[in-house]
Amino acid sequence: MLRPIKHLRSIRAKRFLSTCESYFPDEPKAPILKTSTIPGPKSEQLNNELGEIFDNRATYFVSDYYNSKGNYISDADGNYLLDVYAQISSIALGYNNPELIKTAKSDEMTNALINRPALACFPSTDYATILNEGILSAAPKGMNKVWTALSGSDANETAYKAAFMYHHTKRRNGDFSAEELESVMNNELPGASDMVILSFDKGFHGRLFGSLSTTRSKAIHKLDIPAFNWPKAPFPSLKYPLNEFEAENRQEEDKCLQEFESIIKSYNGKVAAMIIEPVQSEGGDNHATPYFFQQLRKITQDNDVLMIVDEVQTGVGASGKLWAHEHFDLPSPPDMVTFSKKFQAAGFYFSNPELQPNQPYRQFNTWCGDPSKALIAKTIYQEVVKHDLVNKTASIGNYLFSNLKSLAEKYPILNLRGENFGTFIAWDCKDANERGKLLLSLRNKGINIGGCGDYSIRLRPPLVFEQKHADIFLSALEDALKEL
Amino acid sequence: MLRPIKHLRSIRAKRFLSTCESYFPDEPKAPILKTSTIPGPKSEQLNNELGEIFDNRATYFVSDYYNSKGNYISDADGNYLLDVYAQISSIALGYNNPELIKTAKSDEMTNALINRPALACFPSTDYATILNEGILSAAPKGMNKVWTALSGSDANETAYKAAFMYHHTKRRNGDFSAEELESVMNNELPGASDMVILSFDKGFHGRLFGSLSTTRSKAIHKLDIPAFNWPKAPFPSLKYPLNEFEAENRQEEDKCLQEFESIIKSYNGKVAAMIIEPVQSEGGDNHATPYFFQQLRKITQDNDVLMIVDEVQTGVGASGKLWAHEHFDLPSPPDMVTFSKKFQAAGFYFSNPELQPNQPYRQFNTWCGDPSKALIAKTIYQEVVKHDLVNKTASIGNYLFSNLKSLAEKYPILNLRGENFGTFIAWDCKDANERGKLLLSLRNKGINIGGCGDYSIRLRPPLVFEQKHADIFLSALEDALKEL
């Protein structure tokens, strides 16, 4: 007699399972705290051991990834924290996602890992298929080609290289001159380039030498490192709430646009490309309106400047669109869009075939990407589609935002931003000190969360973050704010 | 009656199994050629498909890694080529090595792949152990710390950053000044650095913006890309055979050393570091003697210039030592040693704790390496030790070299080099045209082999390359040379 009832129950239960529940039937129901502060003693001990051989001074806590599950990151002491930071915006489908386990255990993955190809010389029989079914299926509108890389910095730098080669090739009108061939070996003009990449104040685009020259987030990212003398343009500083400051914000954006165009003109054709994040993430979650981005696109086209949109942090769903720049309804697609983080695979999308250099071995290196990461990206993309995770993230983002807005009426949640922008939400604290206190207090309440900019807090949960998680987060936040 | 005989046979057979035979009992006995030229039609077709979405113009052939085995790379048409190029010097243990399959299928690997950590903030409970048992067990003498990265370029650039921060911190004597904090946001002095990295003519250190500024291999690697105005020193051009030109070569090296020191002096304390390959690989397999490297070490120490040895291509056994610079008996270890390729994991070793920046978040990025690659490196290192592959490579290298020396008496094998340097062997062809013919002819005889420099051919087989493979290679080479 019991069997049919059980059966019915399980059907009923399944009918109401959320994506997260179906992925992670044994995800914790709430944070589990085993130690009074985090990091606990085991975390401290392991971190000290690590410090003997590796720079460990930025460690929050030592994580136990084997026991982490879904939205919960576990640590060496057996604590389980609700993770709204997700490896600096990287974990797309939650920890230990069963579909990713399948991919990791597949023969395709084994093959990719142990026979790692030099892709540009010896591409694998399945690389085109892996790209087509994954990274390229996910390509932003108007983009049908990709160059794969290994990190966000690498993606941006290869995009910069494509931009420089594109412009010089167009202007050269034929073969390299003897003078170019000789001078470049001494890092000198005319073989080397005096063109520049224009980036924005407070933008972050990576930490290698070219990308760091375009990064303008914080001094500590840049100090003591040689930099190219490349220019920066002002990024609008919007006032919140947006609907109360429409006129002022428009004026601010127009001022920035004017300055942007004036810098380009002053460089007299030497700005090869500009790079911009849809939301300046490391720099403090600074937003601009669709109008601003639309105008940028017009100005770049009018002035033959390539537009690179850096979606390393904003890409792959968190904004409530697959690519955050889809929010802007640009008059034409960007020239290149870079990605990494949530895809693990990195690189840049493009469509204009002339952004592929005019000769082989110009955009080239040993690996040229990594099929094992492309396989991960493929599964992530397919799961995102299958479970409609972008729309779900848009809707949970709205839920989060409206609740944060209510909290902001009672507590110092300043300049709340990211409305209708999925879970890509942030706010300002009074100052860095208060931000530090709030982050620490949240951690000790079982919420793993990160800051950005000088005094902001950012939300970066995975795409399997649901209402029950939002409720836990909001309640912990309210407690922490009360205690401030 | 049959069973005991079988049993005996199998025991006897096992007694004589080489490392390669025990890894790959079904490795082909010789190249298998299914198409009259390589790439064959299926390779061409797949490459055309790939070309729709990815830069495919450097493709040799499309490889079937599933069917590749040991020293033999298979292609889309079912050809099997003896691979003495090994993904540009990268495949350490042969294709589809069973021990790497175990590692790839392990739970540790699954965990590392699907829960990819931001290592500097949320290191995993097992990262110290993975490093200690793998990458750090393999550390060159005098090195007990590591910074992990994602590629050779990345490894070199993070080493450069460490060098710049080290010098400026030492000179600053306290906190950053307000002027430094402000100017660096505009990429200007004094916050940005005007120190330089000194590299050598024909050296190759990568293709990102900082590493490319130190790369001096070929114009095509550098054209149209902005470069730092960093200096280069001459690299000795040795005459072969070495024993016939000892005096001339010493004179040449002394001239280069003088110029090296004079550049350093002329920069008046602004050379933060020099970088050098034990053998300039991309630049044409250019060797210098231990004397040259010993003197460099003395000069760098006398002048407070850090010495970075780039072992990206030379490292992990191919030279007949685990690290090629061990051939040089340096008066003291280098300050940093970079690695990638054969380890898949990349990064740099160091020992001086001051090469770890004075504050966290200075040497920092999202991934800070990749535990999945560190796991691969660990297995590679452990297998190298278990099977004594470095000494075996030293001995097979000697066998190869002496046979090539004999061939050089009859055929145009010019400036044969790499004696007593494992399988890290190269020679010059008459010119680029003849080199191209020889490489192609060898490919069509079932040997996958690569060039370097303007007219050189380099050997880069995996560490499981044995006498029988050497014999196949030598015989094919003789045939190809006859036909020239």
Side-chain angles (χ1 to χ4, degrees):
Chain A
M1 286 297 283
L2 275 170
R3 293 188 75 190
I5 292 172
K6 255 193 165 169
H7 179 66
L8 272 173
R9 234 185 228 157
S10 96
I11 284 179
R12 204 185 322 156
K14 267 185 189 151
R15 195 178 293 149
F16 292 95
L17 279 186
S18 70
T19 305
C20 185
E21 285 159 345
S22 71
Y23 280 146
F24 311 107
D26 51 353
E27 187 189 57
K29 305 286 172 222
I32 299 169
L33 296 175
K34 296 276 178 71
T35 58
S36 55
T37 53
I38 296 169
K42 284 185 195 155
S43 221
E44 297 272 22
Q45 187 201 322
L46 285 170
N47 196 43
N48 289 341
E49 285 167 28
L50 182 62
E52 295 293 313
I53 54 170
F54 191 74
D55 190 344
N56 69 334
R57 294 163 303 162
T59 298
Y60 284 47
F61 49 81
V62 175
S63 307
D64 178 348
Y65 294 103
Y66 292 95
N67 285 315
S68 299
K69 185 70 77 181
N71 291 272
Y72 288 84
I73 185 169
S74 179
D75 73 3
D77 293 277
N79 297 299
Y80 282 79
L81 291 83
L82 179 67
D83 195 356
V84 297
Y85 198 26
Q87 309 302 319
I88 319 182
S89 197
S90 297
I91 298 289
L93 301 180
Y95 293 104
N96 287 301
N97 185 290
E99 295 302 319
L100 284 176
I101 293 176
K102 278 187 215 160
T103 299
K105 295 283 187 201
S106 70
D107 291 340
E108 289 78 4
M109 180 60 80
T110 297
N111 179 49
L113 284 172
I114 69 173
N115 306 311
R116 188 169 179 190
L119 278 166
C121 289
F122 306 99
S124 55
T125 44
D126 53 2
Y127 198 51
T129 307
I130 295 170
L131 291 179
N132 273 321
E133 292 179 353
I135 290 173
L136 269 156
S137 289
K141 204 178 144 189
M143 309 248 149
N144 55 7
K145 291 180 173 54
V146 70
W147 178 251
T148 45
L150 300 177
S151 68
S153 295
D154 189 7
N156 285 335
E157 296 212 356
T158 48
Y160 299 170
K161 288 180 72 171
F164 289 118
M165 293 188 277
Y166 166 83
H167 280 289
H168 285 286
T169 302
K170 237 176 37 171
R171 287 159 200 208
R172 178 173 291 112
N173 215 349
D175 262 359
F176 304 113
S177 70
E179 201 191 348
E180 285 172 327
L181 292 166
E182 202 185 313
S183 59
V184 78
M185 299 312 290
N186 298 319
N187 292 347
E188 285 168 2
L189 304 183
S193 173
D194 59 352
M195 294 190 84
V196 303
I197 306 289
L198 174 56
S199 61
F200 286 86
D201 192 28
K202 298 213 175 79
F204 182 94
H205 304 291
R207 288 172 168 258
L208 298 168
F209 284 78
S211 47
L212 189 60
S213 293
T214 56
T215 283
R216 314 285 185 156
S217 42
K218 291 183 184 175
I220 197 71
H221 298 158
K222 294 169 69 73
L223 281 155
D224 298 341
I225 311 298
F228 291 109
N229 187 18
W230 293 347
K232 69 174 174 184
F235 191 86
S237 180
L238 299 189
K239 289 189 180 160
Y240 292 88
L242 295 176
N243 57 357
E244 286 179 28
F245 294 96
E246 277 185 19
E248 286 92 330
N249 287 339
R250 174 61 63 98
Q251 208 178 4
E252 165 74 1
E253 292 193 329
D254 279 334
K255 202 186 70 185
C256 292
L257 288 164
Q258 219 166 32
E259 178 66 10
F260 174 74
E261 187 157 21
S262 133
I263 292 170
I264 289 174
K265 300 276 190 211
S266 76
Y267 270 80
N268 220 346
K270 295 215 164 157
V271 179
M274 59 80 92
I275 184 161
I276 192 164
E277 299 155 275
V279 180
Q280 292 188 322
S281 306
E282 295 307 311
D285 268 36
N286 309 315
H287 291 251
T289 71
Y291 165 80
F292 181 74
F293 287 91
Q294 290 158 10
Q295 296 304 309
L296 285 179
R297 186 63 188 130
K298 284 186 193 147
I299 296 169
T300 54
Q301 288 198 306
D302 291 348
N303 291 278
D304 196 20
V305 168
L306 296 170
M307 181 178 191
I308 305 172
V309 175
D310 177 341
E311 292 255 18
V312 168
Q313 184 149 172
T314 52
V316 193
S319 76
K321 306 258 186 199
L322 189 60
W323 301 102
H325 76 269
E326 293 170 21
H327 284 276
F328 304 145
D329 195 21
L330 296 179
S332 67
D335 295 289
M336 290 178 264
V337 174
T338 61
F339 59 91
S340 178
K341 285 185 171 271
K342 277 205 179 53
F343 259 172
Q344 292 207 29
F348 68 89
Y349 294 109
F350 62 107
S351 57
N352 182 350
E354 288 175 25
L355 286 170
Q356 190 167 286
N358 65 329
Q359 288 184 33
Y361 294 104
R362 300 194 71 187
Q363 189 78 275
F364 184 85
N365 56 65
T366 297
W367 308 125
C368 299
D370 184 339
S372 75
K373 303 302 181 197
L375 283 165
I376 299 268
K378 175 179 151 183
T379 298
I380 288 171
Y381 176 67
Q382 290 182 338
E383 293 299 304
V384 163
V385 171
K386 185 172 157 197
H387 292 281
D388 198 21
L389 294 181
V390 179
N391 287 324
K392 285 180 181 165
T393 297
S395 129
I396 194 68
N398 291 344
Y399 177 79
L400 257 177
F401 193 92
S402 66
N403 279 282
L404 285 164
K405 210 167 154 182
S406 304
L407 282 182
E409 290 166 14
K410 289 193 275 180
Y411 303 101
I413 290 181
L414 311 174
N415 296 325
L416 180 67
R417 48 204 186 269
E419 186 162 19
N420 295 317
F421 220 83
T423 54
F424 218 90
I425 294 171
W427 69 89
D428 292 343
C429 298
K430 203 181 67 194
D431 54 32
N433 182 35
E434 189 167 296
R435 194 246 317 252
K437 274 190 208 158
L438 196 56
L439 292 177
L440 202 63
S441 163
L442 279 166
R443 190 196 296 167
N444 288 324
K445 292 181 195 310
I447 310 289
N448 185 41
I449 184 167
C452 61
D454 294 325
Y455 39 71
S456 304
I457 290 179
R458 58 178 151 177
L459 298 186
R460 296 292 187 272
L463 307 178
V464 292
F465 187 82
E466 297 180 343
Q467 190 178 324
K468 63 182 176 187
H469 309 109
D471 290 336
I472 290 167
F473 164 71
L474 290 162
S475 149
L477 176 63
E478 181 159 16
D479 289 347
L481 287 165
K482 266 185 209 161
E483 289 163 23
L484 265 186
Chain B
M1 287 297 281
L2 276 171
R3 295 187 73 192
I5 292 172
K6 255 192 166 170
H7 179 63
L8 273 174
R9 234 185 230 157
S10 92
I11 283 179
R12 204 185 323 157
K14 269 184 189 152
R15 196 177 295 150
F16 291 95
L17 280 184
S18 71
T19 305
C20 184
E21 284 160 346
S22 71
Y23 280 147
F24 310 108
D26 52 352
E27 188 189 56
K29 305 287 173 218
I32 299 169
L33 296 175
K34 296 277 178 71
T35 58
S36 56
T37 54
I38 297 169
K42 282 186 196 155
S43 220
E44 297 272 21
Q45 187 201 320
L46 285 170
N47 196 43
N48 289 341
E49 286 168 27
L50 183 61
E52 296 293 313
I53 54 171
F54 191 75
D55 190 344
N56 69 334
R57 295 164 303 162
T59 298
Y60 283 47
F61 48 81
V62 175
S63 306
D64 179 348
Y65 294 103
Y66 292 95
N67 286 315
S68 300
K69 184 71 77 182
N71 291 271
Y72 288 84
I73 185 168
S74 178
D75 73 2
D77 293 276
N79 297 298
Y80 282 79
L81 291 85
L82 179 66
D83 195 354
V84 297
Y85 196 26
Q87 309 302 319
I88 320 183
S89 197
S90 298
I91 298 288
L93 301 180
Y95 294 103
N96 286 302
N97 185 291
E99 294 302 320
L100 284 176
I101 293 176
K102 278 187 216 160
T103 298
K105 295 282 188 202
S106 70
D107 291 339
E108 289 79 5
M109 180 60 80
T110 297
N111 179 48
L113 284 171
I114 69 174
N115 305 312
R116 187 171 181 188
L119 279 166
C121 289
F122 306 99
S124 55
T125 44
D126 54 2
Y127 198 51
T129 307
I130 295 170
L131 291 179
N132 273 320
E133 291 179 355
I135 290 173
L136 268 157
S137 289
K141 205 180 141 188
M143 309 248 147
N144 55 7
K145 290 181 173 53
V146 71
W147 178 251
T148 45
L150 300 177
S151 67
S153 296
D154 190 5
N156 286 334
E157 296 212 354
T158 47
Y160 299 171
K161 289 180 71 172
F164 289 118
M165 292 188 277
Y166 166 82
H167 280 290
H168 284 286
T169 301
K170 237 175 37 170
R171 286 159 200 210
R172 179 173 290 113
N173 214 348
D175 260 0
F176 304 112
S177 71
E179 201 191 348
E180 284 173 327
L181 291 166
E182 201 184 316
S183 59
V184 77
M185 300 310 291
N186 298 318
N187 293 347
E188 285 167 4
L189 304 183
S193 174
D194 60 352
M195 294 189 86
V196 303
I197 306 289
L198 173 57
S199 61
F200 287 85
D201 192 30
K202 295 211 176 79
F204 182 93
H205 305 289
R207 289 170 166 261
L208 299 167
F209 285 78
S211 47
L212 190 60
S213 293
T214 56
T215 283
R216 315 283 185 158
S217 42
K218 293 183 183 172
I220 196 73
H221 299 159
K222 294 169 70 74
L223 281 155
D224 298 342
I225 311 299
F228 290 109
N229 187 19
W230 294 346
K232 70 173 171 185
F235 191 86
S237 181
L238 300 189
K239 288 188 181 162
Y240 292 88
L242 294 177
N243 56 357
E244 287 178 30
F245 294 96
E246 277 186 18
E248 287 92 330
N249 287 338
R250 173 60 63 99
Q251 209 177 5
E252 165 74 1
E253 292 194 330
D254 279 333
K255 203 186 68 185
C256 291
L257 288 165
Q258 218 164 35
E259 177 68 10
F260 175 75
E261 187 158 19
S262 132
I263 292 171
I264 288 176
K265 301 275 189 210
S266 76
Y267 270 82
N268 219 347
K270 295 215 164 156
V271 179
M274 58 81 91
I275 184 163
I276 192 163
E277 299 156 274
V279 180
Q280 292 189 320
S281 307
E282 294 307 310
D285 268 35
N286 309 315
H287 290 252
T289 70
Y291 165 80
F292 181 74
F293 286 92
Q294 290 158 10
Q295 296 304 309
L296 286 179
R297 186 61 187 131
K298 284 185 194 148
I299 297 170
T300 53
Q301 288 198 306
D302 290 349
N303 290 277
D304 197 19
V305 168
L306 296 170
M307 181 178 192
I308 306 172
V309 174
D310 178 340
E311 292 255 21
V312 168
Q313 184 150 170
T314 52
V316 194
S319 76
K321 305 257 187 200
L322 189 61
W323 301 101
H325 76 270
E326 292 171 21
H327 283 276
F328 304 146
D329 194 21
L330 295 179
S332 67
D335 294 289
M336 292 179 262
V337 173
T338 61
F339 59 91
S340 178
K341 285 186 173 274
K342 277 204 179 53
F343 259 173
Q344 291 207 31
F348 67 90
Y349 294 109
F350 62 108
S351 57
N352 182 350
E354 287 174 26
L355 286 170
Q356 189 166 285
N358 64 329
Q359 287 184 32
Y361 293 105
R362 301 193 72 188
Q363 188 79 277
F364 184 86
N365 56 65
T366 298
W367 308 123
C368 299
D370 185 339
S372 74
K373 302 303 182 197
L375 283 166
I376 299 267
K378 175 180 150 182
T379 298
I380 288 171
Y381 176 68
Q382 291 181 337
E383 293 300 304
V384 163
V385 171
K386 185 171 157 197
H387 293 280
D388 197 22
L389 294 181
V390 178
N391 287 322
K392 285 179 180 166
T393 296
S395 128
I396 193 69
N398 291 344
Y399 178 80
L400 257 176
F401 193 90
S402 66
N403 279 283
L404 285 164
K405 211 166 154 184
S406 304
L407 281 181
E409 290 165 16
K410 290 193 276 182
Y411 304 101
I413 290 181
L414 313 173
N415 297 325
L416 181 65
R417 48 204 186 268
E419 187 163 17
N420 295 317
F421 220 83
T423 55
F424 217 91
I425 295 171
W427 69 88
D428 291 343
C429 298
K430 204 182 65 193
D431 53 32
N433 182 36
E434 190 168 295
R435 193 249 312 255
K437 273 191 206 157
L438 196 57
L439 291 177
L440 203 63
S441 164
L442 279 166
R443 190 195 297 168
N444 289 324
K445 293 182 195 310
I447 310 289
N448 186 40
I449 185 167
C452 62
D454 294 326
Y455 39 72
S456 305
I457 289 180
R458 59 177 151 177
L459 298 187
R460 295 292 186 273
L463 307 178
V464 294
F465 187 80
E466 298 179 344
Q467 191 178 324
K468 64 181 176 188
H469 308 110
D471 290 336
I472 290 168
F473 164 70
L474 290 161
S475 150
L477 176 63
E478 182 160 14
D479 289 349
L481 287 165
K482 267 185 208 159
E483 289 164 23
L484 265 187

